[in-house]
Amino acid sequence: SALTGWTIAVAAPVETIEASATQAVAWLAAGVATALVVATAMALLLGRIFMRAMDTASEAARKLGKGEQPATPLTALHEVNALNGALANAGRLIAAERKSRELVEADRILLLKNETAAREAAQSQNAAKDQFLALLGHELRNPLAAISGAAEALVKGPAEGAVSDRFLQIIQRQNRHLPHIVDDLLEVTRMLSGQPLPAPVALDLPVCLRHCVYALPAPDRAALPLL
């Protein structure tokens, strides 16, 4: 003091002064360490949850890329659940579109088969028609040739009564045969147009054979004594 010249000093132990600060620093360090441990544990836990959710979404995306229906298990992340739901909807749409495409392809194949069968049937019918017309032309030529030959023989000169009657019989028989050929042609025409065919009639086969033999020349008929 300036008045007395005295000096007063206050002393205290360092441990007492620094005890509070040391305790505060210790509590702070413990809190920071605890916070770091908790943060690390939460980070690991959340990381595992996030990675598991992302693996689920990745697996769903891979299945969708392969054309399969992806599985959509629930996870702890709402956003990943929404993503899995969108992938599942996309998978259902793709499956429905694929099924529709398969049905259309099956219908196209069926129509192609039916069209091929119809074309083959038409070609077969056309070939049968051509064959029938060729046969009909041949059948028409035979009676016409017989009529033409008999008429030419009658025109060339007088013949004996039996011979003349023979030529006339040939002309009459072949003339009766021509309407049957024309009727056959009309029946085929009605059949091709879808019209009903006339009722069947009995055929006398011996009479038909006899007429065929009579249409042959005399030397040829002599070779068939049994008829």
Side-chain angles (χ1 to χ4, degrees):
S1 170
L3 181 62
T4 61
W6 293 355
T7 300
I8 298 174
V10 179
V14 177
E15 293 80 1
T16 303
I17 297 175
E18 295 181 351
S20 297
T22 302
Q23 186 178 8
V25 171
W27 280 107
L28 178 62
V32 171
T34 303
L36 289 176
V37 171
V38 172
T40 302
M42 291 298 296
L44 292 175
L45 178 62
L46 293 177
R48 289 182 179 180
I49 294 175
F50 181 76
M51 291 304 297
R52 189 179 297 111
M54 293 306 298
D55 290 340
T56 302
S58 299
E59 182 64 21
R62 282 193 294 269
K63 288 186 177 181
L64 183 63
K66 294 178 180 180
E68 302 175 358
Q69 181 64 30
T72 57
L74 293 178
T75 64
L77 299 179
H78 174 72
E79 292 77 6
V80 176
N81 291 334
L83 175 61
N84 290 337
L87 292 175
N89 291 331
R92 285 190 289 270
L93 292 176
I94 292 175
E97 191 274 336
R98 183 187 299 110
K99 184 177 181 180
S100 177
R101 186 169 63 250
E102 291 175 355
L103 291 176
V104 172
E105 183 66 17
D107 292 339
R108 187 188 69 82
I109 294 175
L110 180 60
L111 290 176
L112 180 61
K113 289 182 178 179
N114 292 336
E115 190 272 337
T116 302
R119 183 171 64 251
E120 292 176 354
Q123 292 176 354
S124 178
Q125 292 178 358
N126 191 32
K129 182 184 68 176
D130 294 340
Q131 184 179 4
F132 173 78
L133 292 177
L135 180 62
L136 180 64
H138 180 72
E139 293 295 329
L140 284 174
R141 184 176 58 186
N142 290 336
L144 290 177
I147 293 174
S148 177
E152 186 69 21
L154 291 175
V155 171
K156 283 186 177 180
E160 297 179 359
V163 176
S164 178
D165 293 340
R166 175 63 179 170
F167 289 153
L168 290 176
Q169 290 177 1
I170 291 175
I171 294 174
Q172 292 175 352
R173 184 170 56 255
Q174 299 300 331
N175 190 34
R176 288 192 300 269
H177 185 56
L178 286 175
H180 294 292
I181 298 178
V182 176
D183 291 339
D184 292 340
L185 178 60
L186 294 177
E187 289 180 1
V188 171
T189 303
R190 285 194 294 268
M191 180 181 65
L192 292 177
S193 61
Q195 298 179 3
L197 296 177
V201 296
L203 177 64
D204 192 349
L205 185 59
V207 174
C208 293
L209 292 176
R210 191 176 300 110
H211 290 169
C212 293
V213 172
Y214 287 157
L216 296 175
D220 295 335
R221 288 199 308 274
L224 301 172
L226 296 179
L227 298 176

